[in-house]
């Protein structure tokens, strides 16, 4: 049993470190946009195969959510975060050495396991490190958003540098990305585990117990109308954002944009996301329970319009500026999405259920990403990127409108409008 001083030291260190850790380690630096160029120009892979490998990563994530959840419960939050970062380092090494699409698929499997572990352990560690109070949700959102906003700034800077470095040698940005992951792994070792590990008679008993706990958590989540609605929303929006990362770069490449310009534009997109992360509290206060719908339609409609303009961008270069503005709108929504959704999910958790909720959320998001990613890869092999964006922008706009109607009576209600069972695991419920 930890003493009061030990608990306070744990809370102080974890809460203080988390924004810095997230800024450096939330996702890969020196990587996005350049990864697509690296695979298509240096490794000579087709855009459709790159998107297919990304889709298989999501497919792997479906099967890895339960094992990842067991790993987190078995190793604890801190050690799981360290393991996730080590796996990320391994992923980048394999990615750099990739010789064909099968090597890339292996790399994506390792990345999927790393992401699955980190997406459960990281919010779980922060959630438990914050003292229980009526302000906990706001504190969680503030710390999380600070880290996300700083990440987007670093990401923007790294993308500009990576774009110019790619012109010199395509391998240099990837080596920089790997170096940053090694640093993040070292930083993660300084967290303090917030939950004491229970003594068990053996590893088999631990695994058996955790599978039972996960099963209990799944039953609760599937009974909860508000959690089901949030899981549907995060799956549909998150999966669309996943394919857009490739579609944006592919469209810019199709219309003849140089790699260093793509790096600069990618940096602008990251800055847009950073601003959104910093403003997420103001935005949610303004739109309240309509926030999710606003984010969703910003993404889908901006994609639809960018696709339409992309058809004529080669003939009328002025349209490229409008496309970039539309991408900035989509990335603004992207920046809101992750911080806002983490906050919403955290509102319904305590330490007994948090990792289970994050695991199920990720499970359904990866399922949706895999299905949509495979479809988007098929379409990209048949049509230009502009036509693919038009198709997905239109279809998802319709889907999001239907989703909004479903969520209206399930999310954003006052606490007394939810049943006692729904509030079973609320932090202060």
């Amino acid at each position: 049993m930890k003493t009061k001083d030990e608990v306070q030291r744990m809370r102080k260190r974890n809460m203080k470190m988390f924004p810095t850790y997230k800024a450096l380690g939330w996702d890969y630096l020196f990587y996005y946009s350049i990864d697509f160029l690296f695979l298509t120009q240096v490794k000579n892979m087709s855009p459709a195969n790159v998107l297919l490998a990304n889709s298989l990563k999501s497919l792997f994530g479906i099967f890895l959510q339960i094992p990842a959840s067991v790993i987190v419960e078995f190793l604890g939050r801190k050690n799981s975060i360290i393991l996730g970062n080590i796996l990320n380092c391994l992923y980048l090494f394999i990615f750099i050495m990739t010789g064909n699409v099968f090597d890339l698929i292996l790399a994506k499997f390792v990345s999927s396991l790393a992401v699955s572990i980190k997406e459960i352990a990281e919010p779980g560690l922060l959630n438990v490190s914050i003292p229980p109070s009526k302000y906990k949700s706001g504190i969680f959102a503030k710390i999380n958003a600070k880290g996300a906003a700083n990440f987007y700034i670093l990401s923007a800077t790294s993308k500009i540098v990576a774009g110019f470095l790619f012109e010199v040698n395509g391998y240099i940005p990837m080596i920089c990305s790997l170096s940053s992951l090694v640093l993040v792994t070292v930083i993660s070792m300084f967290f303090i585990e917030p939950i004491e590990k229970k003594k068990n008679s053996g590893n088999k008993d631990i695994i058996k117990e955790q599978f039972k706990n996960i099963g209990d958590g799944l039953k609760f989540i599937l009974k909860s109308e508000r959690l089901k609605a949030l899981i549907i929303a995060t799956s549909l929006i998150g999966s669309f954002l996943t394919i857009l990362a490739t579609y944006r770069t592919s469209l810019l490449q199709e219309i003849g944009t140089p790699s260093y310009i793509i790096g600069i534009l990618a940096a602008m997109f990251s800055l847009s996301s950073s601003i959104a992360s910093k403003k997420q509290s103001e935005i949610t206060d303004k739109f309240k329970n309509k926030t999710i719908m606003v984010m969703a339609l910003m993404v889908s409609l901006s994609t639809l319009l960018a696709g339409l303009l992309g058809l004529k961008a080669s003939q009328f270069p002025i349209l490229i500026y409008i496309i970039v503005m539309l991408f900035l709108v989509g990335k603004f929504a992207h920046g809101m999405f992750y911080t806002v959704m983490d906050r919403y999910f955290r509102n319904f958790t305590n330490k007994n259920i948090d990792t289970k909720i994050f695991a199920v959320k990720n499970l359904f998001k990866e399922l949706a990403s895999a299905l949509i990613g495979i479809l988007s890869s098929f379409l990209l092999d048949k049509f230009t990127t502009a036509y693919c964006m038009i198709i997905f922008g239109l279809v998802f706009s319709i889907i999001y409108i239907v989703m909004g109607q479903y969520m209206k009576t399930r999310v954003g209600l006052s606490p007394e409008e939810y049943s006692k069972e729904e509030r079973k695991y609320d932090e202060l419920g």
Side-chain angles (χ1 to χ4, degrees):
M1 180 70 70
K2 289 184 178 180
T3 65
K4 184 177 180 181
D5 288 342
E6 287 175 330
V7 171
Q8 288 179 341
R9 186 168 73 91
M10 175 274 293
R11 294 191 191 283
K12 184 177 180 180
R13 180 184 292 186
N14 289 355
M15 291 169 66
K16 185 177 181 180
M17 279 183 55
F18 196 86
T20 301
Y21 167 78
K22 181 155 188 170
L24 292 168
W26 187 24
D27 213 336
Y28 308 118
L29 299 174
F30 302 97
Y31 178 84
Y32 288 107
S33 298
I34 300 305
D35 66 318
F36 183 83
L37 299 177
F38 179 79
L39 292 172
T40 55
Q41 295 183 20
V42 177
K43 300 295 183 176
N44 297 316
M45 294 186 185
S46 70
N49 279 341
V50 174
L51 193 51
L52 178 62
N54 288 335
S55 303
L56 290 176
K57 175 186 174 182
S58 297
L59 190 63
F60 295 144
I62 298 169
F63 302 104
L64 290 173
Q65 285 305 311
I66 299 300
S69 186
V70 172
I71 288 171
V72 173
E73 295 294 342
F74 179 72
L75 294 180
R77 289 158 172 80
K78 173 190 170 180
N79 290 335
S80 297
I81 290 172
I82 294 172
L83 175 61
N85 287 317
I86 291 173
L87 289 170
N88 264 339
C89 293
L90 178 60
Y91 161 66
L92 251 296
F93 177 77
I94 299 173
F95 185 90
I96 291 170
M97 302 303 293
T98 291
N100 53 55
V101 70
F102 299 106
D103 292 343
L104 181 60
I105 290 170
L106 173 62
K108 293 298 180 180
F109 176 83
V110 175
S111 176
S112 183
L113 180 58
V115 171
S116 297
I117 292 171
K118 282 165 60 71
E119 285 188 345
I120 296 169
E122 288 171 350
L125 181 137
L126 177 60
N127 186 43
V128 180
S129 298
I130 302 172
S133 77
K134 64 180 181 179
Y135 304 108
K136 183 170 182 176
S137 177
I139 295 171
F140 180 95
K142 184 177 180 180
I143 294 174
N144 207 29
K146 181 180 179 182
N150 290 337
F151 165 79
Y152 286 125
I153 293 172
L154 285 174
S155 180
T157 305
S158 73
K159 284 172 180 174
I160 293 174
V161 174
F164 284 100
L165 291 177
F166 186 84
E167 291 287 319
V168 178
N169 187 299
Y171 285 89
I172 298 178
M174 296 297 108
I175 293 171
C176 290
S177 183
L178 177 58
S179 300
S180 70
L181 287 174
V182 173
L183 174 62
V184 168
T185 303
V186 174
I187 292 173
S188 65
M189 295 177 181
F190 290 91
F191 281 122
I192 298 176
E193 175 59 44
I195 301 292
E196 285 193 47
K197 189 176 178 181
K198 295 179 181 179
K199 292 183 178 180
N200 286 271
S201 57
N203 290 344
K204 289 184 178 179
D205 292 334
I206 296 174
I207 295 173
K208 184 178 179 180
E209 180 184 351
Q210 297 313 323
F211 267 109
K212 181 181 182 301
N213 289 341
I214 293 168
D216 293 341
L218 278 167
K219 289 177 184 177
F220 165 71
I221 292 166
L222 294 175
K223 287 179 182 178
S224 171
E225 291 298 322
R226 62 177 174 177
L227 282 176
K228 280 193 290 187
L230 284 174
I231 285 171
I232 289 172
T234 199
S235 299
L236 290 174
I237 301 173
S239 59
F240 193 27
L241 291 174
T242 299
I243 65 168
L244 284 182
T246 299
Y247 274 6
R248 274 192 298 269
T249 307
S250 183
L251 182 63
L252 291 172
Q253 191 179 49
E254 278 185 8
I255 58 182
T257 310
S259 60
Y260 70 93
I261 296 295
I262 290 177
I264 293 172
L265 292 177
M268 292 171 57
F269 302 152
S270 292
L271 287 175
S272 179
S273 294
S274 175
I275 294 169
S277 293
K278 290 180 179 178
K279 298 289 185 181
Q280 56 89 23
S281 291
E282 297 174 33
I283 294 168
T284 52
D285 288 343
K286 179 177 181 179
F287 293 104
K288 300 188 184 301
N289 59 350
K290 294 184 178 66
T291 303
I292 294 176
M293 273 300 297
V294 170
M295 291 189 297
L297 290 176
M298 284 174 68
V299 172
S300 63
L301 293 177
S302 64
T303 300
L304 173 60
L305 293 174
L308 289 169
L309 296 178
L311 295 175
K312 299 293 183 180
S314 297
Q315 299 173 342
F316 304 99
I318 187 76
L319 297 179
I320 297 175
Y321 294 99
I322 303 176
I323 290 172
V324 169
M325 294 300 296
L326 290 167
F327 284 166
L328 286 170
V329 171
K331 285 296 290 183
F332 188 89
H334 184 133
M336 281 196 296
F337 172 73
Y338 288 103
T339 50
V340 168
M341 296 308 289
D342 275 353
R343 178 178 181 177
Y344 283 167
F345 276 98
R346 199 230 62 82
N347 285 343
F348 313 135
T349 70
N350 59 26
K351 65 182 181 181
N352 298 317
I353 198 72
D354 57 356
T355 57
K356 287 80 173 177
I357 286 181
F358 295 135
V360 175
K361 177 194 74 170
N362 296 337
L363 175 66
F364 282 94
K365 188 183 74 145
E366 296 293 357
L367 175 59
S369 295
L371 294 174
I372 293 167
I374 291 171
L375 176 60
S376 64
S377 173
F378 172 79
L379 289 176
L380 194 57
D381 198 37
K382 305 295 181 184
F383 303 103
T384 64
T385 306
Y387 278 115
C388 292
M389 294 180 78
I390 292 170
I391 293 168
F392 276 101
L394 179 60
V395 170
F396 271 89
S397 292
I398 296 170
I399 289 174
Y400 290 151
I401 291 171
V402 175
M403 178 189 80
Q405 294 300 311
Y406 176 78
M407 294 182 65
K408 189 178 293 185
T409 57
R410 293 169 173 83
V411 178
L413 309 179
S414 56
E416 59 273 12
E417 292 181 88
Y418 292 110
S419 67
K420 186 177 180 180
E421 179 66 19
E422 284 268 12
R423 293 183 285 114
K424 183 178 178 180
Y425 291 106
D426 285 17
E427 186 68 41
L428 298 175

